[in-house]
Amino acid sequence: MSASGADARPAEPGAAPSRGRLFITVLCGGADRPVAELGGLTPFEAAATPHLDILARRGSSAVLEVIAPGIPPESDSGAMALLGYDPVTHYTGRGPLEGLGMDFWQPDGYSVAFRVNFASWDPATGRLDRRTSRDLEEDDQTALVEEITAQVTLGDDVAFRLTGFGRHRGILALTSDTVPLSGQVTNTDPGFVSRGPFGVPVNTPAATPATCTPFGEGPDAAATARLVNRFVRASAEVMQRSAVNERRRAAGRRPANLLLVRDAGDTLPKLPGFTERTGLSLSMYGQVPAERGLARLIGARFTRSRPARGQSEPDYYRQLLPQLLADPADMVFVHLKGPDEPGHDGRPHDKVRAIEEIDAHFVGPLADALTPADTLVVTCDHATPCELGIHSPDPVPAVAVGPGVAADRVAGFGEKAALGGTLGADRASDLLAALLHAPDGERG
């Protein structure tokens, strides 16, 4: 497991909570639709999940709308909702949370941040592969970022920060002390369109990268769009001639030679502190920088946690569990990425395997280790249907087991089964309130 230092307000080492703790386990992109390759079952329904099924029989289930109809969540907006902050009210875009999570946000002056894809573009054939860098090794991605940082400038008054993570993913931030910057600009990534602050994936994206343009006629947005287009052109020139891509071409692999930007934002959400709202201390474990940004805004402790290079998911889960159990926070929120990428790649059997590994090596041991006073929730931040390959606004299943949760008649974990649950929440942002104010819960 790779874990950075924890952020924000750490609890006292060795402190024992005076009441049962609340554990929320989030299976990234786990929810799905019936898959023909799985005989018309969803991956949850096709997977062998004896431990999740036991939780369903012992506890209460629900199907949760994460944001709103027609708005597919991402991991940051999904986490925001599950922590009780309605994204419809609070969300200002993925870019700002990503930028803050990477310490790319300038508190005095102007900032605008974007999510980035390292992509491959061949103008001669008109082929755009938005996620070529799924096969880009971490060291090569770091080398590309360093070359761009060393060779690209946007002028004396505007600086940029760029990072790459997770193969094809990255974050870009523009900052200035004097030049007003705006998030009211379009994506260059044709795979997403903006709907207010939300990035909505496109089922059949255009085959060519887009040009960044301003929304409306404001001078700040027009200036920002020009800066983005200048950066995209200049960084593409650096990437095209990079030794990294020379090696990729020689090996018969497509070059990672274009950055696609999306989800711009220039304003951080205004969120009340989590402890102030709930009376509970919160510790978050995840690998998405936007989650670290969210944790900073609400006063939570954040630990960057993901499998180490070459480490299997089961070994990672076995190493992560003792850390979660020793965490003295009243509430522990953990985000597990396993099911998401198979959903994006259209690999339903791999998604089934990812779910089974979480059930066997994480959910079962965690449930066995908790005390009768503790509450355990398992749910998803969004759906990533295998036959779509993108996030969808589909509702997600949830199950909760604990002293304040009355058992219902649901006998298994899954999208259809959870429809019969009585947990008392229809939206993700209402889940925490339902748990904290449950009869006999003694939490709120």
Side-chain angles (χ1 to χ4, degrees):
M1 181 181 67
S2 172
S4 70
D7 296 325
R9 44 180 302 280
E12 295 179 8
S18 59
R19 54 190 166 185
R21 293 179 295 168
L22 173 59
F23 290 81
I24 296 185
T25 298
V26 180
L27 310 189
C28 185
D32 212 304
R33 299 175 180 177
V35 181
E37 195 174 333
L38 299 177
L41 301 176
T42 70
F44 277 136
E45 294 164 348
T49 54
H51 302 290
L52 284 168
D53 294 342
I54 288 172
L55 296 182
R57 291 192 292 272
R58 288 176 49 204
S60 184
S61 298
V63 172
L64 305 174
E65 181 178 77
V66 181
I67 299 179
I71 300 180
E74 295 201 63
S75 291
D76 61 333
S77 54
M80 180 182 287
L82 290 168
L83 291 170
Y85 301 88
D86 189 348
V88 174
T89 301
H90 296 287
Y91 197 63
T92 61
R94 181 150 190 170
L97 288 175
E98 299 274 30
L100 180 65
M102 291 301 301
D103 298 319
F104 287 180
W105 202 261
Q106 185 165 312
D108 300 317
Y110 304 96
S111 297
V112 61
F114 308 80
R115 181 70 181 267
V116 172
N117 267 22
F118 286 69
S120 183
W121 165 235
D122 186 347
T125 63
R127 180 188 176 97
L128 175 66
D129 188 325
R130 297 178 49 253
R131 291 181 176 141
T132 289
S133 301
R134 279 188 183 275
D135 70 352
L136 185 64
E137 295 179 0
E138 184 176 333
D139 291 344
D140 284 345
Q141 188 183 47
T142 299
L144 289 172
V145 169
E146 290 174 349
E147 291 174 19
I148 293 168
T149 301
Q151 298 179 46
V152 174
T153 60
L154 295 178
D156 294 337
D157 295 328
V158 178
F160 75 86
R161 300 280 299 278
L162 176 69
T163 191
F165 65 94
R167 294 185 285 184
H168 66 279
R169 304 174 182 91
I171 299 164
L172 169 68
L174 310 181
T175 60
S176 178
D177 291 327
T178 58
V179 178
L181 300 168
S182 172
Q184 295 301 304
V185 296
T186 62
N187 303 325
T188 71
D189 185 343
F192 286 81
V193 295
S194 298
R195 185 174 299 170
F198 299 100
V200 177
V202 176
N203 282 335
T204 54
T208 57
T211 299
C212 185
T213 60
F215 290 116
E217 300 180 357
D220 299 352
T224 303
R226 288 193 296 271
L227 287 165
V228 169
N229 291 325
R230 186 190 310 172
F231 175 81
V232 169
R233 287 193 300 270
S235 60
E237 292 173 1
V238 173
M239 296 167 77
Q240 186 69 13
R241 60 176 180 261
S242 170
V244 169
N245 283 319
E246 289 180 7
R247 292 193 299 271
R248 289 178 66 84
R249 294 186 191 95
R253 299 158 77 185
R254 288 187 293 276
N257 62 356
L258 182 69
L259 296 177
L260 300 173
V261 306
R262 63 177 172 96
D263 298 342
D266 58 31
T267 305
L268 294 171
K270 292 181 172 60
L271 301 175
F274 187 82
T275 301
E276 173 189 340
R277 294 186 74 195
T278 66
L280 305 178
S281 58
L282 171 63
S283 191
M284 297 174 63
Y285 291 76
Q287 56 182 283
V288 179
E291 290 178 309
R292 179 176 184 250
L294 176 61
R296 290 182 62 182
L297 289 175
I298 63 177
R301 181 177 184 262
F302 181 79
T303 301
R304 183 172 181 261
S305 182
R306 63 174 183 172
R309 190 182 303 187
Q311 185 180 32
S312 71
E313 294 283 342
D315 283 346
Y316 164 62
Y317 300 144
R318 283 189 284 266
Q319 192 169 353
L320 174 62
L321 272 168
Q323 189 174 1
L324 302 181
L325 293 168
D327 194 307
D330 300 320
M331 176 169 153
V332 176
F333 179 100
V334 59
H335 177 212
L336 304 179
K337 287 286 289 182
D340 188 51
E341 287 204 2
H344 280 295
D345 293 342
R347 297 181 280 116
H349 292 286
D350 288 343
K351 188 167 182 178
V352 167
R353 181 166 55 253
I355 291 167
E356 291 178 341
E357 289 177 346
I358 291 173
D359 183 82
H361 302 288
F362 187 85
V363 172
L366 176 59
D368 288 344
L370 299 186
T371 74
D374 296 327
T375 298
L376 173 60
V377 177
V378 181
T379 187
C380 308
D381 52 354
H382 57 79
T384 308
C386 290
E387 293 186 350
L388 280 182
I390 56 177
H391 296 188
S392 75
D394 296 26
V396 303
V399 65
V401 177
V405 181
D408 56 27
R409 296 184 178 182
V410 176
F413 186 83
E415 294 84 354
K416 292 188 187 72
L419 289 168
T422 60
L423 185 54
D426 296 321
R427 302 186 67 232
S429 55
D430 296 330
L431 173 64
L432 193 58
L435 294 170
L436 297 184
H437 299 102
D440 304 322
E442 302 296 331
R443 286 187 177 277

